[in-house]
Amino acid sequence: MNGAKSLVQTLLAAGVGTCFANPGTSEMHFVAALDQVPGMKCVLGLQENVVTGMADGYYRLARKPACTLLHCAPGLANGMGNLHNARRARSGIVNIVGDQATHHRPHDAPLTGDTTGMAQTVSAWVHTSTRTADLGRDAVQAVRAASTHPGQIATLILPADVSWQEGGVVGVPISAPPPPAIDGGAIDGAARILRNHRDVLILLAGPAVLAEGQALAWRIAQATGAAVMASYVTAHLARGRGHMQLERVPYGMDAAIKALDPFRNIILVNAVPPVGFFGYPGMPSIQYHPQTRFHTLSRPDQDPVEALEGLATALGAPQVAMPDPGPRPDPARGAPTPEGLAQTLAALMPEQAIVSDESISYGRGFYRLTHAAPAHDWLRLAGGAIGDGMPVATGAALGARKQRRVINLQADGSAMYSLQSLWTQAREQLPVTTVILSNRKYNILIGEYQSVGATPGATAMSMLDLGNPSLGWVQLANGMGVEAARATSLDACADLMKASFGKPAPFVIELMI
């Protein structure tokens, strides 16, 4: 068999059964092998940043890596924004990046680039296959790296001739290494802090904010009086009825400093000490009090459930019920507001929905108003590179095997980075409802002007204005094959949301805010 066939067979044998692709000439033998070797689910994205974002969303729900297929260095470059976000989300992805044939590369053809150097900025593992006979073995190592807890990005660079030459050998899958064991001393130290201090915050991140970790953290908090929060950049949270009414460290520096000021001891559970997204004139970079002491219970590469179980046992923390968030609200009415949209979402979302949240500044208060919703998963932009909400929603729908409704809360400016996601949603008939928050401006940057102390004028404000010409999201969605409608009130938005939740297909609501 040729190298391409050995690669596809190796990926399937290692449990990688989905390929998000935007292929080019260098990858044509791999594309042919996808036809000739049955078993791989192939999903086409019309831009590489959609491809990589879909792979991120897929991992968050499926908890196993997919592969991407990207065309040479420029294709990898197009996908790097969402690979940056996936790295911050600690999602497992196997990138297959085509490259010039080994004999052709010295001629510096137009598409030649420093693929290795680019890949290293977003990948935990990078390797170029140079022999067809080794390609299967290399693919096994890539899958192992991507599957390493809690998830990593692995990039396998595939020269065209390594793909087309005969002599391929299917690799034998190997298991990913287990997470490093939790240090008993860390458990004892955290228990001692919780017994002896009342100014303690347990800061959760990574898998610690999923259902099992939350239940343990709640037990510990109830037994000790400690507070619990989630890191702001946490990518995937279990939320709604049956879970903690968990709030994040705020985004804004003033609010974050105020929220963290009472705590002189912070126990890190897969989290890192919180810092601001940016440096501001006259403001510190850190969000916690300078006298705060940090106590690491578990690192991001460790299993937080094991750590929290050990801590609950050390404290003798009894089983406790989750707090009741109160009755489910009714849909809001009238003019759109952030609070009204959150209330409407909580009132109407189906059981076990998935929310892909790239609402940016409009949605910073959504959490406190959606605790009484049915149990759901909430996916967030972890790396700050806008343009992940729509592709993450698309990949999540596939990761959930199209069995759960996905609701994409999407700022209009960042949606334009990856609106091609809608085409893939239509092609795959995915159950995704996208609510475009249409204020026709980069509103987060208007807020940042004040934070950095700059004074905007007419030219500056025109650079943040999306209203000349105005974006027409109904027409844009229709052009991608997706049904859409505009809403100017929360009443109309609620009616459209309810109708869309019953459709086995994507739907876009342009909410004029």
Side-chain angles (χ1 to χ4, degrees), residues 248-326:
R248 295 172 297 153
V249 175
Y251 171 84
M253 284 298 292
D254 287 333
I257 290 170
K258 181 179 179 181
L260 295 176
D261 184 68
F263 306 108
R264 295 297 179 271
N265 291 278
I266 297 180
I267 295 174
L268 300 173
V269 187
N270 283 52
V272 297
V275 299
F277 260 67
F278 307 102
Y280 299 108
M283 293 285 285
S285 292
I286 61 173
Q287 295 176 325
Y288 47 88
H289 193 281
Q291 295 177 3
T292 299
R293 293 182 299 164
F294 287 93
H295 315 274
T296 299
L297 180 66
S298 57
R299 301 189 309 269
D301 64 335
Q302 294 177 304
D303 180 357
V305 172
E306 178 189 348
L308 289 166
E309 283 179 338
L311 183 56
T313 299
L315 292 165
Q319 297 285 345
V320 289
M322 280 293 182
D324 184 352

Side-chain angles (χ1 to χ4, degrees), residues 20-310:
F20 297 101
N22 186 274
T25 301
S26 301
E27 299 81 52
M28 284 299 99
H29 283 83
F30 185 89
V31 174
L34 292 171
D35 227 7
Q36 296 157 2
V37 179
M40 185 72 74
K41 167 71 175 176
C42 302
V43 181
L44 179 61
L46 299 187
Q47 210 271 359
E48 289 89 344
N49 213 35
V50 173
V51 170
T52 54
M54 288 192 294
D56 179 7
Y58 177 90
Y59 182 83
R60 296 196 207 181
L61 267 294
R63 306 312 300 174
K64 64 179 183 178
C67 67
T68 69
L69 182 58
L70 308 172
H71 182 41
C72 296
L76 174 61
N78 284 343
M80 282 181 69
N82 276 331
L83 286 175
H84 165 83
N85 290 328
R87 181 176 69 89
R88 290 293 186 180
R90 302 188 186 277
S91 291
I93 300 173
V94 177
N95 294 315
I96 309 296
V97 184
D99 202 4
Q100 302 288 350
T102 54
H103 65 270
H104 192 60
R105 186 172 181 82
H107 296 284
D108 195 26
L111 276 172
T112 305
D114 184 7
T115 311
T116 298
M118 292 166 55
Q120 286 172 337
T121 66
V122 291
S123 307
W125 182 96
V126 180
H127 181 74
T128 300
S129 287
T130 56
R131 295 179 65 246
T132 299
D134 296 336
L135 182 54
R137 180 200 65 191
D138 296 341
V140 162
Q141 293 295 331
V143 176
R144 182 180 189 269
S147 303
T148 298
H149 181 84
Q152 299 183 137
I153 296 173
T155 300
L156 179 62
I157 300 167
L158 179 60
D161 55 331
V162 175
S163 189
W164 76 53
Q165 287 172 355
E166 297 296 314
V169 179
V170 178
V172 178
I174 52 178
S175 299
I182 301 299
D183 180 4
I187 293 174
D188 293 340
R192 184 168 54 252
I193 292 297
L194 287 162
R195 290 191 190 102
N196 296 329
H197 297 272
R198 289 292 172 263
D199 55 356
V200 182
L201 172 67
I202 302 171
L203 186 60
L204 307 178
V209 297
L210 300 181
E212 197 173 1
Q214 283 189 34
L216 289 161
W218 180 244
R219 282 174 56 191
I220 294 165
Q222 289 299 100
T224 62
V228 184
M229 296 180 74
S231 167
Y232 179 79
V233 294
T234 298
H236 180 182
L237 297 95
R239 301 194 67 253
R241 198 167 296 277
H243 300 108
M244 285 186 66
Q245 296 167 36
L246 187 64
E247 293 291 332
R248 295 172 297 153
V249 175
Y251 171 84
M253 284 298 292
D254 287 333
I257 290 170
K258 181 179 179 181
L260 295 176
D261 184 68
F263 306 108
R264 295 297 179 271
N265 291 278
I266 297 180
I267 295 174
L268 300 173
V269 187
N270 283 52
V272 297
V275 299
F277 260 67
F278 307 102
Y280 299 108
M283 293 285 285
S285 292
I286 61 173
Q287 295 176 325
Y288 47 88
H289 193 281
Q291 295 177 3
T292 299
R293 293 182 299 164
F294 287 93
H295 315 274
T296 299
L297 180 66
S298 57
R299 301 189 309 269
D301 64 335
Q302 294 177 304
D303 180 357
V305 172
E306 178 189 348
L308 289 166
E309 283 179 338

